């Protein structure tokens, strides 16, 4: 019978391997995540606090910040309602076209954001399918805030639904069916049974949807028209400033966007820490 040393000729390497992997992971995270983030803040404050506040408080920057927040405040609640409804339909019922619905939920993740923005232009643009009707009724979708909200809602649609569907599938329908058998209405069943069971997945999906909505660039770039002070979100405003070689202002607004993203990640971390261990998987 071979000895333990013969079967494992390099025991020292096995003890060293976890340390090597941790070191490699920290190195990659430092080079590709932490260092660029530090560089953004260093460039933003390179000329002092005064230019930084001036760049962030400029009218075009304030307009971009306001439009970004407005888009998030509309698209995230819409996607929350759509995501809950879609997850409920897919997991609690069997109906013709269920597989097609699952495919459509994943569609925004598979389609390039630029393509999705172009589709909205082809539908709502001046030369698009509904363009003449919209122009006749003095309604503007493309190159206006409504188009930005529509494009952002599309690219972030799947985040809430895709967080809820696996959780609701794992939980099954027994609790809801028992509540309905005891005389509870559909709304009571959802509010007292389903919603408490999916609350952590729902919060996580909303946070990820919010993070993507704040930083969306591709689809918004196509439908916005890049009108300064009117249709530029924060990512588009940063691009314009950078292309104009106004790097300090570009990095100042970028640092503000990074702070918003870090705040979102902080909320996510707090929620995960408060989540019961049994629900973290």
């Amino acid at each position: 019978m071979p000895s333990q040393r013969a079967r494992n000729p390099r025991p020292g390497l096995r003890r060293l391997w976890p340390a090597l992997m941790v070191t490699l992971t920290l190195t990659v995270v430092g080079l590709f995540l932490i260092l660029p983030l530090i560089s953004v803040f260093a460039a933003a404050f390179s000329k002092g606090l005064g230019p930084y506040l001036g760049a962030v408080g400029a009218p075009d920057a304030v307009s971009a910040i306001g439009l970004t927040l407005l888009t998030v405040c509309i698209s995230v609640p819409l996607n929350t309602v759509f995501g809950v409804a879609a997850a409920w339909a897919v997991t609690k019922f069997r109906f013709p076209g269920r597989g097609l619905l699952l495919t459509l939920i994943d569609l925004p993740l598979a389609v390039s954001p630029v393509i999705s923005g172009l589709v909205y232009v082809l539908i709502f643009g001046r030369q698009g399918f509904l363009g003449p009707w919209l122009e006749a009724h003095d309604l503007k979708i493309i190159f206006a805030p409504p188009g930005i909200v529509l494009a952002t809602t599309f690219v972030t649609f799947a985040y809430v639904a895709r967080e809820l569907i696996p959780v609701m599938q794992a939980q099954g329908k027994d609790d809801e069916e028992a509540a309905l058998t005891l005389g509870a209405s559909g709304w009571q069943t959802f509010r007292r049974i389903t919603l408490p069971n999916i609350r952590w997945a729902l919060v996580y999906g909303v946070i990820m949807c919010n993070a993507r909505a704040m930083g969306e660039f591709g689809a918004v770039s196509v439908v916005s028209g890049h009108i300064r002070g009117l249709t530029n979100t924060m990512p588009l405003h940063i691009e314009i400033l950078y292309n104009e070689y106004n790097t300090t202002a570009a990095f100042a607004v970028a640092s503000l966007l990074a702070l918003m993203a870090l705040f979102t990640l902080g909320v996510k971390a707090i929620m995960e820490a408060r989540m019961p261990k049994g629900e973290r998987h």
Side-chain angles (χ1 to χ4, degrees):
M1 183 176 180
S3 64
Q4 180 69 22
R5 181 174 294 275
R7 284 183 289 143
N8 187 12
R10 297 165 121 184
L13 182 60
R14 291 185 59 185
R15 291 193 296 267
L16 187 61
W17 184 251
L20 290 175
M21 294 303 296
V22 171
T23 302
L24 178 61
T25 301
L26 292 177
T27 301
V28 172
V29 170
L31 289 176
F32 293 99
L33 294 179
I34 298 177
L35 185 60
L37 193 61
I38 294 175
S39 300
V40 167
F41 285 96
F45 289 97
S46 61
K47 295 184 179 180
L49 184 60
Y52 177 88
L53 295 177
V56 173
D60 289 345
V62 173
S63 174
I65 295 169
L67 182 57
T68 300
L69 295 177
L70 175 65
T71 302
V72 169
C73 290
I74 295 176
S75 62
V76 173
L78 284 176
N79 279 330
T80 301
V81 175
F82 296 159
V84 171
W88 176 278
V90 167
T91 58
K92 305 301 180 182
F93 303 98
R94 294 294 182 267
F95 53 89
R98 180 175 175 272
L100 177 61
L101 179 58
L102 281 170
T103 302
L104 293 176
I105 291 173
D106 291 334
L107 184 63
L109 299 178
V111 176
S112 168
V114 175
I115 300 300
S116 63
L118 181 61
V119 168
Y120 281 110
V121 173
L122 295 177
I123 295 175
F124 300 109
R126 178 171 294 182
Q127 305 300 324
F129 181 72
L130 297 177
W133 184 87
L134 292 171
E135 189 172 4
H137 291 79
D138 196 25
L139 298 174
K140 198 167 184 180
I141 303 296
I142 302 302
F143 306 151
I148 295 173
V149 173
L150 284 175
T152 304
T153 301
F154 177 82
V155 299
T156 58
F157 172 78
Y159 285 88
V160 175
R162 268 300 160 195
E163 289 296 330
L164 292 178
I165 289 174
V167 174
M168 297 177 75
Q169 284 178 333
Q171 291 173 350
K173 301 186 294 183
D174 295 342
D175 293 343
E176 286 87 352
E177 290 176 349
L180 292 173
T181 302
L182 293 174
S185 64
W187 170 246
Q188 288 174 329
T189 301
F190 174 78
R191 183 168 57 89
R192 297 184 179 182
I193 304 298
T194 304
L195 190 59
N197 289 338
I198 65 172
R199 63 188 185 279
W200 294 110
L202 179 60
V203 169
Y204 190 84
V206 169
I207 290 173
M208 299 306 295
C209 179
N210 176 78
R212 176 63 189 275
M214 287 192 301
E216 175 54 33
F217 180 85
V220 171
S221 178
V222 175
V223 302
S224 72
H226 295 270
I227 305 174
R228 299 185 70 155
L230 293 176
T231 63
N232 276 341
T233 59
M234 292 177 70
L236 300 183
H237 185 60
I238 293 168
E239 183 201 27
I240 289 177
L241 292 174
Y242 189 80
N243 290 337
E244 293 176 348
Y245 300 101
N246 192 353
T247 55
T248 301
F251 280 109
V253 180
S255 69
L256 188 60
L257 186 60
L259 285 174
M260 295 168 65
L262 290 174
F263 175 77
T264 302
L265 291 177
V267 173
K268 172 180 171 290
I270 293 173
M271 291 299 174
E272 287 181 342
R274 295 180 59 187
M275 186 184 304
K277 292 183 179 180
E279 298 184 24
R280 293 182 185 179
H281 302 290

